[in-house]
């Protein structure tokens, strides 16, 4: 598939050098690294676009960092960045350009795809979205009975849900509190039922968000939502209560939504990279067009940082390289995302899709099976809740789990005394993970010797701490783009395509075969494996 098959990753001399580096470092404690260099905590930091990243609590030396940058050069990361920003069809298995960065390019800049200036197209849609969002927020867009819209329900799944749902929660403090937002994704009828049960149809606007407009879950939910509305307000009300976000105008029209009420995007926007396309319509209605443009400006600022900063000063590249370091050289299998902000409660879930759907691959761009691990498993919960749950394993379990702590110096709520406690916890956790508590310190506390081993914290658990002044739309944009480009960096090293998702397809196809077997009146002839056959029979019996 790739035009220029490159040297196999693990045969690169710099890879071997990293292996040689990693071996002795396994026995070096962060305590020693900090003792050797009292300036480490200030030196191993990087500030980019208002994000301060302390990466000093990583099990790296200056030489490791130098080699990681060399690795990025050896796999030609800079060329790959240029190719993405130029609109090359780097999503080779789908023959598509990958241009989420164009979604946040400033008005007037130019980027051609297949001879079309996509930035002009992007801004034309943004203008229509802004106009619509203002009308909903200002009460100029009314429901069919003349009532104002008070509730917005986004129906979508995967990339057409996680971004908007995460962004709404993250930016709730900036949202119009007179409006209620709900996000329906699961085909489980409970999701839609619970989302609309206390809503007045006359005040409800549905945004059906689907790039393809063929996704079974979304179409099923959208049809049911439409029936609910029609039942209460009649067929003619649909035009005032349904809008669509899609690339598929034909299917939107066939569903019964006027394409006047459709906001488009393009095949060069991947689902999990689409939250700054029209898929962000609910976000824009929530925080207003000006706030949304701030979000876009934050994304763009981090895009520009990634595109222009030298590799050793490039924050997304650094985060990506550190992830490669632990995944490939320390056999770390997971990466915890620990935001110390309740507003970021959906951020770990959002990142799960971004990272794992992108880099959960096992063949190279050229189609060869890799013999090295690719994406780690990303997971997490907001602090401090996680501390009273799974942090035990991070502190004293047998696995190495690199952590990203994310925090903000200023709160968005008025409870500043809470905020000091929150931040103290974040800093304390990173400190405890890195430095632990020695047997001598435990003994000095008078702990009985037989309890000593239980009370020792080995430490040497790595983490990054990402700190910003406060959570704003722009800062959220910067955080999102930071991880997007970290994923890009990882994919470049591992030589995989971060932009396809064939793994999602098989289950979709099989479910279409099983659905009629579950509901058939006559006993169906089942031709699955014996386990699936038996489960289908049991569901039929119990159903
Ligand atoms: C994302 C994936 C996937 C996609 C959903 C929804 O990168 O492609 O999560 O977003 O399957 O697809 P539609 O937007 O087409 O409904």
């Amino acid at each position: 598939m790739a035009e220029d098959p490159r040297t196999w990753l693990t045969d690169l001399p710099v890879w071997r050098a990293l292996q040689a580096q990693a071996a002795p470092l396994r026995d070096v404690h962060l305590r020693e690294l900090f003792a050797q260099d009292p300036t480490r905590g200030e030196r191993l930091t990087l500030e980019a676009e208002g994000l301060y990243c302390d990466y000093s609590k990583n099990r790296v030396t200056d030489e490791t960092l130098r080699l990681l940058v060399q690795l990025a050069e050896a796999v030609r990361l800079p060329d790959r960045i240029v190719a993405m920003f130029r609109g090359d069809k780097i999503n080779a298995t789908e023959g598509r350009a990958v241009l989420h960065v164009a979604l946040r390019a400033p008005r007037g800049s130019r980027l051609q795809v297949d001879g079309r200036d996509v930035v002009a197209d992007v801004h034309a849609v943004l203008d229509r979205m802004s106009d619509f969002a203002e009308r909903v927020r200002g009460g100029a867009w009314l429901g069919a009975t003349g009532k104002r819209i008070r509730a917005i329900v986004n129906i979508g799944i995967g990339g057409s849900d996680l971004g908007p749902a995460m962004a709404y929660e993250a930016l709730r403090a900036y949202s119009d509190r007179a409006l209620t937002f709900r996000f329906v994704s699961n085909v489980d009828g409970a999701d839609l039922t619970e989302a609309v049960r206390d809503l007045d149809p006359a005040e409800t606007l549905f945004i059906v968000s689907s790039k393809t407009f063929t996704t079974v879950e979304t179409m099923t939910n959208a049809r049911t939502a439409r029936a609910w509305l029609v039942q209460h307000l009649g067929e003619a009300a649909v035009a005032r209560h349904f809008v669509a976000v899609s690339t598929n105008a034909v299917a939107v029209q066939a569903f019964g939504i006027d394409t006047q009420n459709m906001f488009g995007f393009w095949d060069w926007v991947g689902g999990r990279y689409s939250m700054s396309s029209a898929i962000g319509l609910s976000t824009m209605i929530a925080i207003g067009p000006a706030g949304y443009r701030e979000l876009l400006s934050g994304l763009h600022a981090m895009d520009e940082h990634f595109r222009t900063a030298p590799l050793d000063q490039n924050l997304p590249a650094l985060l990506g390289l550190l992830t490669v370091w632990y995944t490939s050289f320390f056999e770390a299998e997971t990466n915890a995302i620990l935001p110390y902000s309740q507003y970021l409660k959906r951020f770990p879930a959002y990142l799960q899709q971004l990272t794992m759907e992108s880099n959960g691959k096992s063949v190279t761009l050229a189609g060869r099976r890799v013999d090295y691990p690719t994406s780690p498993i990303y997971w997490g919960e907001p602090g401090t809740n996680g501390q009273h749950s799974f942090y035990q394993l991070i502190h004293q379990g047998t696995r190495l789990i690199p952590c990203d702590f994310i925090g903000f110096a200023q709160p968005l709520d008025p409870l500043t005394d809470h905020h000091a406690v929150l931040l103290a916890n974040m800093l304390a956790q990173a400190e405890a993970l890195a430095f632990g508590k020695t047997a001598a310190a435990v003994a000095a506390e008078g702990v009985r010797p037989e309890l000593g081993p239980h009370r020792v914290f080995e430490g040497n658990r790595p983490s990054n701490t990402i700190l910003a002044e406060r959570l704003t739309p722009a800062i959220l944009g910067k955080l999102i783009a930071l991880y997007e480009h970290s994923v890009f960096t990882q994919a470049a090293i591992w030589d995989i395509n971060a932009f396809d998702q064939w793994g999602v397809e098989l289950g979709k196809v099989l479910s279409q075969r099983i659905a009629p077997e579950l509901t058939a009146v006559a006993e169906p002839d089942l031709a699955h494996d014996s386990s699936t056959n038996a489960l289908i029979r049991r569901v039929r019996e119990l159903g």
Side-chain angles (χ1 to χ4, degrees), residues 157-160 210-213 215 218 271-272 353 357 501 508:
I157 196 164
S160 300
S210 175
K211 180 174 167 180
T212 55
F213 232 73
T215 305
T218 301
R272 56 194 170 277
Q353 181 189 26
E357 199 168 57
Q501 56 283 314
K508 282 192 192 173

Side-chain angles (χ1 to χ4, degrees), residues 248-259:
N248 186 348
V250 174
V252 167
Q253 198 144 33
F255 179 84
I257 297 178
D258 190 340
T259 45

Side-chain angles (χ1 to χ4, degrees), residues 76-91 96-104 110-113 118 268-270 273 299 302-308 314 316 354 481-489 491-492 497-499:
R76 297 190 294 115
L77 173 63
D79 293 348
R80 291 186 187 225
I81 297 174
V82 169
M84 173 169 71
F85 278 82
R86 191 170 52 205
D88 289 8
K89 300 204 165 146
I90 59 170
N91 176 359
R96 290 176 181 166
V98 173
L99 273 177
H100 42 283
V101 294
L103 299 170
R104 44 266 190 154
R110 289 179 72 79
L111 219 163
Q112 302 270 337
V113 174
V118 297
W268 41 262
V269 183
Y273 296 88
L299 285 153
M302 190 54 74
D303 293 342
E304 283 301 284
H305 168 78
F306 183 54
R307 189 176 69 79
T308 59
N314 192 312
L354 178 68
L482 171 64
Y483 281 95
E484 284 177 350
H485 300 318
S486 164
V487 163
F488 185 91
T489 301
N497 183 358
F499 301 107

